[in-house]
Each structure stands twice: as structure tokens, then as C-alpha cells.
Amino acid sequence: VGLGQPERGIELLLAGVERDDVDTGALYSHAMRSAELTENDGPKRAWDIARTGLLAGARTPDLMLGFERLALRVADVATTRDVYTKLYDRAMGRHGRRGIRYREARWLERANDPSAAMEAYEAAFSEAPSDGGILSAIDRIARTTGEPDRTRLLDTLPSPR
């Protein structure tokens, strides 16, 4: 059905997410990839599908990575940040919350918003203050933006014994 009729294929995939006996993450991922290849508004529609899937609770690496990649193309920072906030609100435990903030920070850095990225890295660090990767990112952004005082989080760490 999708061959030669990509719109119909996408419709069928999205209709399938209403069923209880299917892997909704896989259906959203397939629909996202199919939409991305369509003409005209393909990347925007694919991003909308990925966003809808993530907010509906479908969590697959392919869907999340596709959402982030397409969000860079669509360049709707406000809506993308809203999705991260909603995912953060539903994350399980401090490590889940840290993971969402870290992903948001990395996305913001790629979207060329170092100030917002720094805030998201700081929020990720505050969720679980032990991640060296987050500290490295904070230091990297502080150096590239000329704001070395932003590394103040490093001062809150206990000194090694």
C-alpha cells in the first residue's frame, strides 16, 4: 500500500497506533521515516509524527533520534523545548530526568543556542551531580562563550579525599 502511495501508507501506520496489540514506537518510527521522504512538507510532517509519538508515550531510540534530527531541520526551538519539558515531567527518577535534560542540552548546543544549552546542562547536573560528561560540556560552553564563571557548579562538588 505504501509503495507508490506513501500518504496512504503513513495513514495506515498511524491508524495502527490505536490498537493495543502493537508496538506503537515502531509504527510511529516507520511513519516518521516514510513522511520524511515525501515531497513538500516531508521533514515537518515527520517531525510532527515523531513529536506526537513521543508525547503519546512511544519511546524508541529511533523515534527520539529522529525527532532530534528533524527538529534541527525544522528549527522550531520553542516547540522542541516544550517536548523536552513534557518528557522531563514524565521521566522516571532523577536519572531519567537527568537524561532528558542532557539530551535537551546536547540538542540546544547543536541548534547553536549555547546559553540555553548551558542552562539545560546545569539542570541535568543538578539532577545527578556526578556526571563527568555534563561537567565537561559545561566547561566547554563556558570557555567558548567567554563565561568561565558559569563553571560555578564545579565549586559545589565535594573535594576528593
Side-chain angles (χ1 to χ4, degrees):
V1 168
L3 194 60
Q5 297 178 348
E7 292 301 322
R8 180 69 179 132
I10 294 166
E11 287 173 24
L12 290 171
L13 288 166
L14 293 176
V17 301
E18 302 300 322
R19 295 180 41 190
D20 291 333
D21 62 337
V22 298
D23 178 358
T24 59
L27 292 177
Y28 277 115
S29 291
H30 289 302
M32 173 193 68
R33 280 188 254 113
S34 295
E36 186 176 10
L37 299 174
T38 61
E39 295 182 14
N40 302 326
D41 225 12
K44 169 77 167 78
R45 181 156 184 231
W47 177 71
D48 286 336
I49 290 168
R51 179 173 48 92
T52 299
L54 289 171
L55 295 177
R59 303 257 165 60
T60 66
D62 184 51
L63 195 59
M64 188 69 185
L65 291 170
F67 168 76
E68 291 172 333
R69 178 178 44 76
L70 291 161
L72 288 172
R73 289 178 69 185
V74 172
D76 184 342
V77 174
T79 303
T80 300
R81 291 198 76 186
D82 184 57
V83 170
Y84 281 116
T85 298
K86 288 175 180 171
L87 294 175
Y88 173 87
D89 291 342
R90 289 194 250 155
M92 294 182 64
R94 65 187 179 110
H95 294 291
R97 290 188 302 272
R98 180 194 64 195
I100 292 296
R101 286 294 181 230
Y102 182 72
R103 293 194 73 87
E104 177 184 21
R106 287 182 45 123
W107 184 84
L108 287 163
E109 199 172 353
R110 287 191 311 266
N112 201 26
D113 190 344
S115 179
M118 176 66 89
E119 291 173 13
Y121 279 126
E122 289 171 343
F125 183 80
S126 71
E127 289 290 345
S130 62
D131 192 321
I134 293 172
L135 291 175
S136 294
I138 289 170
D139 184 55
R140 180 181 63 249
I141 292 176
R143 289 175 195 271
T144 58
T145 60
E147 299 181 72
D149 62 319
R150 294 293 299 260
T151 60
R152 66 187 176 278
L153 285 175
L154 302 177
D155 297 335
T156 66
L157 295 176
S159 59
R161 295 180 187 207

